[in-house]
Amino acid sequence: MLEIPCLKLETQKPNKVISFTKALRSTEYDAWVHFYEDDANFERLWNKPRVYLPILKKFKGVISPDFSVYRDMPLVMQYWNIYRSRAIAHWLQENGGGRDPKHSLWR
């Protein structure tokens, strides 16, 4: 109905994580990249994913972006942010840059 992309199941669990912002200038590639930071810090991934794909591929995995959804946000904006989170995660998985232990099932 809403055409929100489905993600592949990932069974690996991260041992070490690094934020997207720190990952951009890190050489510690044994970590998984997470997006638990202000949306403004990773909006650029949504806008230009091909720029960041080579960087993300260097890491062990990527925990999918999770654009904010607030209770007082209009419903259509909540759906938009859910869609964006899933769409970019799906694109990363399809292009070899994403593994997703967090969103392996629809919540």
Side-chain angles (χ1 to χ4, degrees), residues 16-42:
K16 185 177 179 182
V17 294
I18 186 171
S19 70
F20 175 71
T21 303
K22 289 181 180 176
L24 295 179
R25 57 186 184 276
S26 177
T27 57
E28 295 182 40
Y29 302 122
D30 63 332
W32 285 54
V33 180
H34 73 78
F35 297 86
Y36 297 112
E37 52 186 322
D38 192 286
D39 291 5
N41 292 337
F42 60 89

Side-chain angles (χ1 to χ4, degrees), residues 30-58:
D30 63 332
W32 285 54
V33 180
H34 73 78
F35 297 86
Y36 297 112
E37 52 186 322
D38 192 286
D39 291 5
N41 292 337
F42 60 89
E43 184 78 29
R44 55 189 153 178
L45 175 63
W46 172 255
N47 293 326
K48 296 182 179 180
R50 284 183 176 82
V51 170
Y52 299 100
L53 182 62
I55 297 167
L56 294 174
K57 279 184 162 184
K58 293 178 183 178

Side-chain angles (χ1 to χ4, degrees), residues 4-24:
I4 294 175
C6 294
L7 303 178
K8 298 173 190 167
L9 178 63
E10 175 58 50
T11 58
Q12 293 185 41
K13 304 290 186 232
N15 290 327
K16 185 177 179 182
V17 294
I18 186 171
S19 70
F20 175 71
T21 303
K22 289 181 180 176
L24 295 179

